Amino acid sequence: MKIFKDKQSLQKEIFQNNGISFIPTMGGLHKGHISLIKKSKKYKFKTLVSIYVNPKQFDNKQEFSRYPKNLKKDIEILKKLKVDYLYTPLFKDIYGFKTKNKIYLDKFSKQLCGKFRKNHFKGVVQVMNRLIEIIKPKYIFMGKKDYQQLFLIKKLISRRNINSKIIACDIIRERNGVAASTRNLKLTKNEFKIASKVYQYIVYIKKKLRTKKIFISKKEIEKKINALGVKNINYIEFRDLKDLKKRNKISNTTNIFIAYYLRNIRLIDNI
Ligand code: AMP
């Protein structure tokens, strides 16, 4: 695996290929990331992983500095997976140039997580716009766990006529149902158990609502989740997976989207 810290040497190498498959990450690699990489390896192009914790997408400086980092372990994982290239840029490499495309921030950036994390999606779209200009990937592999992020990057790509295709990858879960996440590392055993109970409950309630066996208001769902040990729920909403619009009922294309805190650790999921 070749490792690059600056875009000049990276571009010199990768532009010799006739295409690149790209997996943007913030490191702290886990089985969610690994599934994206394995999928990418099935495509015809070489695989490039980036590890960059983007300060612009954290409104809370503490959350940024607390974000788990373990580059040494990440490199071991990537080497084992036979990833071709790793890009670990510094701030200047990403933000020290003028972009060709202006960002496109769809109105949905203000909803769901955007309501609670000011400027988060602006930061996400900015960094992706820049990474795409540097790498010019043919394919970009992204997880449905961060569904709103996936949706907004798809919008950026279509609105700015960017010649990259997004491959959306299924959510990978731990054995207890909790979506794999770098942030899980920070949970205590008991918090991890609570997160599992939240997941199980949402699966249960979704099935009940879909088969119309019961009616339960969102307030009641929140109450139940509070009783499982969650003090702070940002939102729990039913959204259509195609257009991300709110739904009152659960259909085949509706997921339950949730964001909540366990202590100071923010978890999101859609089920
Ligand atoms: P992150 O390092 O958290 O920025 O994530 C990098 C990419 O991995 C994003 O496209 C995420 O959606 C994806 N990802 C993170 N966790 C999971 C998961 N549990 N299942 C599938 N994809 C994931």
Side-chain angles (χ1 to χ4, degrees), residues 24-27 30 32-33 35-36 67 141-146 149 169-172 179-182:
T25 83
M26 299 205 295
H30 53 68
H33 299 116
S35 78
L36 268 51
Y67 197 84
F141 294 77
M142 299 182 76
K144 291 182 195 168
K145 168 166 180 284
D146 303 276
Q149 164 176 290
C169 304
D170 288 339
I171 301 177
I172 303 298
S181 166
T182 307

Side-chain angles (χ1 to χ4, degrees), residues 1-4 48-51 75 78 84-88:
M1 181 174 72
K2 293 185 178 166
I3 303 176
F4 300 93
L48 163 62
V49 173
S50 68
I51 295 181
I75 289 176
L78 296 173
D84 301 287
Y85 306 119
L86 169 63
Y87 179 40
T88 58

